Amino acid sequence: MNSLPLPPNSASGKTTSTLPATGSARTPAVIVGADADGLGIARCLGRARVPVILVDTDALRPGMHSRYVEPFVVTAMSGPALIDGLLLLRARLDVTPLLFLTTDTQVRTISEHRHRLAGAFYIRLPERDCIRHLLHKLSFQHLAERHGFSVPRALGVSDEKDFANFSEMCFPAVIKPGNKELFFVSKAPRAQKVRSREEAEALCRAILPEAPDLIVQEWVEGGESDIHFCLQYRGQEGFPVASFTGRKLRCWPPQTGSTASCTAAPEVETILEGLTKEFFDKTGLVGMCSMEFKHDRRNGKFFMIEPTVGRADWQEEVAAMHGVNIPLAAYNYELGLPLPTTEKPHYPLTWMYPPSYLRSLFCAQSFRYRRPGATRMKTPCWSLNDPVPSAFFLLEWIRKLWSPARWRELIFQRRQIKAAEPAIMEVGPESAPSAAADPRTPSVPPEALLR
């Protein structure tokens, strides 16, 4: 039986799937979201001659004009209206497509409405409880602690009475909404660094009326290039289909935001892939996923920061640039086709998203140690074989350039950086992020970094 959803409740706790045992390249892939990440997935699949349908609410989004896609406009990107749009799309197809998601809100929507999509799409998702727990930052914190993984100490804050627990923490710290969707509806900042208990109380007091669901997490000492990630696709019962380890070079907003540029990190691949697999094995996660880590320069340990569940990452294309085409591996695995071979590039590559990258440069006024030597930069915003989306990226950026709100955001971030304590100098790739390579931290054997 062809079916999208996993069983709504499983007494055994194991994930099952009713995906087909065999398939062909006639089976289309449906990608929800036409921003840089959706476009990256489309190119990963389209270059392998997989039919791709890209779904968005705006026909002017850059990805909707890729040579590799057939665009399809829906009325909403989450909630019941998204389900209605996907079912309308499915009614026009004579085969059951595979579904790829790009945001947490989409994952929540598909998970909660999986009964409506039964038989309409193929997608491998973990159970509802797994998705709900891993998408909430405090629930993830408790799961990681319960299974013995290293995470920064953190406390949940729902009202001012919780401020008394701040005496248990060391500052600086970072304050985040427990549910990231609060950021996207402008009820809470995505992540805000505070230097003292007083700053933490003041910021929480300002946010709580709109977002009574915060987490205060101790800051892991290090720069943007100390942030690493492990992108994976996990098949039936967690079978490791594909995996790639990378590290960020720049973020926007600085230190706490999304990836502005990143590259491969083979020097820590064994450590981080092992940690990621072990955590996801224990929590029963399958499908598209990743884990973000930060390397602590004080003690050489890697701390888990947050997982990505059920969807592709913003920088997913960086893996394909380095020969690990995770979307294509997922497609082939689920359709019973041979997995793609890994073809490493002849030279290092850096993935870069220009608007975030340039804003990072402007705010930090730092051009050193953020790009590995002897590397080439690639961006989803320009492709010689797929040039049309570039014009729509440019149009989008021009509209944003004239937005007063964007300039206020930029100036605000610049003032924050100026007011913050001096940042730790970034280290280059020639100094691999290991304790032994940094004279400021003690020598720590690799096995010690696993916990």
Side-chain angles (χ1 to χ4, degrees), residues 363-435:
C363 286
Q365 294 183 359
S366 170
F367 298 83
R368 300 181 61 203
Y369 308 119
R370 301 294 184 92
R371 177 181 170 185
T375 187
R376 297 187 186 182
M377 300 190 79
K378 285 194 171 186
T379 170
C381 304
W382 167 251
S383 170
L384 189 60
N385 294 324
D386 187 26
V388 177
S390 304
F392 289 87
F393 273 116
L394 184 60
L395 177 63
E396 205 170 71
W397 299 338
I398 290 173
R399 291 204 307 258
K400 292 177 180 178
L401 184 64
W402 289 101
S403 167
R406 290 283 172 170
W407 282 101
R408 286 195 296 269
E409 176 196 6
L410 197 62
I411 293 168
F412 175 72
Q413 291 290 345
R414 179 74 187 125
R415 287 174 178 169
Q416 277 195 317
I417 295 173
K418 284 288 189 183
E421 57 189 359
I424 296 176
M425 180 177 289
E426 297 281 359
V427 295
E430 66 277 2
S431 299
S434 65

Side-chain angles (χ1 to χ4, degrees), residues 157-158 176-178 182-183 187-189 204 206-214:
V157 177
S158 57
K176 313 173 189 178
L182 293 171
F183 164 74
K187 290 188 175 181
C204 288
I207 300 172
L208 282 172
E210 289 292 325
D213 178 16
L214 302 176

Side-chain angles (χ1 to χ4, degrees), residues 251-422:
C251 302
W252 181 260
Q255 300 190 60
T256 59
S258 298
T259 307
S261 63
C262 62
T263 190
E267 67 278 1
V268 293
E269 180 179 311
T270 301
I271 294 172
L272 299 190
E273 281 193 8
L275 278 172
T276 302
K277 181 181 184 303
E278 185 179 356
F279 178 82
F280 289 154
D281 282 347
K282 289 182 181 296
T283 54
L285 189 63
V286 294
M288 279 283 187
C289 57
S290 74
M291 181 65 74
E292 184 173 290
F293 299 85
K294 192 169 184 184
H295 173 251
D296 192 326
R297 295 186 180 180
R298 296 167 298 187
N299 56 25
K301 292 182 70 173
F302 283 98
F303 287 87
M304 290 182 173
I305 301 301
E306 64 178 3
T308 297
V309 180
R311 65 171 176 88
D313 260 77
W314 170 246
Q315 71 273 18
E316 193 83 30
E317 195 177 14
V318 71
M321 286 166 43
H322 289 88
V324 184
N325 191 332
I326 297 177
L328 183 59
Y331 179 91
N332 285 8
Y333 172 81
E334 300 298 1
L335 294 183
L337 302 171
L339 295 181
T341 57
T342 299
E343 298 179 4
K344 294 186 178 180
H346 299 297
Y347 41 81
L349 296 169
T350 296
W351 181 95
M352 180 265 290
Y353 183 64
S356 300
Y357 186 80
L358 293 175
R359 282 187 286 181
S360 171
L361 290 178
F362 173 83
C363 286
Q365 294 183 359
S366 170
F367 298 83
R368 300 181 61 203
Y369 308 119
R370 301 294 184 92
R371 177 181 170 185
T375 187
R376 297 187 186 182
M377 300 190 79
K378 285 194 171 186
T379 170
C381 304
W382 167 251
S383 170
L384 189 60
N385 294 324
D386 187 26
V388 177
S390 304
F392 289 87
F393 273 116
L394 184 60
L395 177 63
E396 205 170 71
W397 299 338
I398 290 173
R399 291 204 307 258
K400 292 177 180 178
L401 184 64
W402 289 101
S403 167
R406 290 283 172 170
W407 282 101
R408 286 195 296 269
E409 176 196 6
L410 197 62
I411 293 168
F412 175 72
Q413 291 290 345
R414 179 74 187 125
R415 287 174 178 169
Q416 277 195 317
I417 295 173
K418 284 288 189 183
E421 57 189 359

Side-chain angles (χ1 to χ4, degrees), residues 88-256:
L88 179 62
L89 169 61
R90 176 63 183 90
R92 301 182 183 185
L93 302 174
D94 58 1
V95 291
T96 304
L98 269 76
L99 188 63
F100 290 86
L101 308 176
T102 58
T103 69
D104 290 343
T105 53
Q106 295 165 16
V107 173
R108 291 182 193 275
T109 294
I110 300 303
S111 177
E112 293 304 316
H113 295 271
R114 58 180 76 195
H115 61 283
R116 289 189 60 195
L117 293 174
F121 291 87
Y122 299 135
I123 186 171
R124 189 175 294 279
L125 286 177
E127 293 190 23
R128 284 186 178 89
D129 285 346
C130 178
I131 291 174
R132 186 167 59 251
H133 290 153
L134 292 182
L135 285 184
H136 193 275
K137 289 182 171 56
L138 192 59
S139 295
F140 159 69
Q141 177 86 16
H142 293 159
L143 275 173
E145 290 174 344
R146 186 183 313 150
H147 291 296
F149 292 93
S150 294
V151 287
R153 184 185 304 171
L155 297 170
V157 177
S158 57
D159 57 50
E160 293 192 20
K161 291 185 292 185
D162 295 321
F163 293 174
N165 297 326
F166 289 173
S167 60
E168 304 172 13
M169 300 193 67
C170 296
F171 288 88
V174 62
I175 297 176
K176 313 173 189 178
N179 183 344
K180 194 185 293 184
E181 292 172 27
L182 293 171
F183 164 74
F184 291 109
V185 295
S186 302
K187 290 188 175 181
R190 181 167 185 161
Q192 193 78 32
K193 186 178 180 181
V194 292
R195 293 168 291 179
S196 65
R197 175 174 178 172
E198 291 72 26
E199 283 188 19
E201 291 183 3
L203 183 60
C204 288
R205 194 173 286 114
I207 300 172
L208 282 172
E210 289 292 325
D213 178 16
L214 302 176
I215 180 172
V216 181
Q217 187 179 69
E218 290 185 0
W219 183 257
V220 178
E221 206 60 64
E224 291 174 346
S225 63
D226 290 301
I227 303 172
H228 295 71
F229 52 87
C230 183
L231 312 176
Q232 293 191 343
Y233 188 79
R234 292 167 55 85
Q236 181 72 22
E237 297 186 351
F239 175 79
V241 177
S243 184
F244 172 82
T245 301
R247 69 184 180 99
K248 298 186 181 184
L249 301 173
R250 286 188 178 273
C251 302
W252 181 260
Q255 300 190 60
T256 59

